[in-house]
Each structure stands twice: as structure tokens, then as C-alpha cells.
Amino acid sequence: MRTKLTVTFALLALGAVPAEARDDKHMFPIKAALGKREQYKEKLESDIALYFGKQKTPVVEKRIGEYTSNKKTNGFNKSDQEACDIAFISAAAALQDRARREGGNAVINIHSVYRNENVASESEYLCGSGAVMSGVALRGTVVTLAKGKK
């Protein structure tokens, strides 16, 4: 009898869960996220340059490889943009770390990747937000840029 009650309550509890999970896609401005740099000073550093979309870069001396960074953050008690900005900064910082490890001094052609959808933009990034988590995946090419040459 006790087992039947436990199963009944468990089934009732499962019925209280919404049938559809939230899976929203947003485009947010890169400048706004980078403008919060003071908040995340320890995350992004100036020694590795970041170039989004088709932004013009100095001369590329060496292409090292293409890498992806996928970061998520808890969206609880945050707006979608705030959670997405945090995930974006973390993903950009991870690309910088990868460039540093590989011996590069920049990451170029950075674009958003979401469920096999590539979005290249100089001004916006793509973020996915669910009921609890928000995530940003960035893909870019680690390079060595010539210093002083355009």
C-alpha cells in the first residue's frame, strides 16, 4: 500500500512539470557584453585580441587552428541577457586561453554556433536560454598576427 502511494505521488509530481521546456534563441550585442568588462576583469585579458565575424585584422602571419568554446551559466534570478553576457564572456575568455596555450596572439573570425547553426556577426552573438541555463558557443581561428603591419 505504501509503495502504491509513493508511486501515485511521484506520478502526480511529474504531471506538475511543464510538458515543454523553454529553448529560446537570442541575439545580443557584443559591445554590451564587453562593456561589462570591469565586472569580469579577471576573465578577459588584453594580450589576446578578439575579432568577431569579418572584422578587419592586421596581417595574419600564421594560422594555428580553429577551436570552439561552449560555456553555460545558471540563469536563475537573472535576465536572459545578463545570463547570456556571462556565458559569452566565459566563452570568449576560453578562446583567449586556448590561443595562449597554442602560442597565438589573436582569435579571428569568431562566430556563434548553436545547434549546428553558424552565425557570424561583427556586432552580435547568439545565445540559447532555457528555463534554468543559458549557453553560448563561440568558434574562432587562433592565429599569430603581425605586429605593426596592416
Side-chain angles (χ1 to χ4, degrees):
M1 181 70 171
R2 190 174 195 167
T3 304
K4 279 186 181 181
L5 283 174
T6 303
V7 170
T8 302
F9 284 123
L11 290 173
L12 287 172
L14 287 174
V17 176
E20 289 185 39
R22 195 180 89 151
D23 185 17
D24 298 337
K25 291 192 304 188
H26 305 284
M27 294 293 292
F28 288 119
I30 292 169
K31 198 172 193 175
L34 294 177
K36 296 175 182 172
R37 195 172 182 160
E38 287 299 312
Q39 249 175 293
Y40 309 108
K41 228 179 202 168
E42 71 284 353
K43 291 266 188 186
L44 286 179
E45 313 239 354
S46 60
D47 64 326
I48 306 290
L50 300 172
Y51 294 91
F52 295 90
K54 301 291 182 201
Q55 282 181 320
K56 191 157 177 62
T57 69
V59 174
V60 174
E61 285 185 342
K62 179 181 177 187
R63 288 185 183 276
I64 297 170
E66 187 175 69
Y67 301 96
T68 302
S69 171
N70 185 352
K71 297 296 179 182
K72 298 190 181 343
T73 192
N74 182 338
F76 183 73
N77 209 22
K78 296 178 187 94
S79 69
D80 282 352
Q81 184 167 2
E82 182 181 2
C84 287
D85 284 352
I86 291 168
F88 171 79
I89 294 290
S90 295
L95 284 177
Q96 284 185 322
D97 289 343
R98 184 61 184 248
R100 205 174 284 110
R101 283 195 314 270
E102 299 296 331
N105 64 4
V107 184
I108 64 170
N109 301 326
I110 301 171
H111 56 278
S112 300
V113 182
Y114 184 78
R115 298 198 177 182
N116 297 320
E117 180 182 344
N118 290 307
V119 178
S121 173
E122 293 78 37
S123 60
E124 295 181 306
Y125 70 91
L126 178 63
C127 177
S129 292
V132 179
M133 301 292 283
S134 290
V136 172
L138 298 176
R139 183 172 296 148
T141 304
V142 172
V143 299
T144 302
L145 297 176
K147 295 187 185 204
K149 295 181 188 174
K150 291 257 177 184

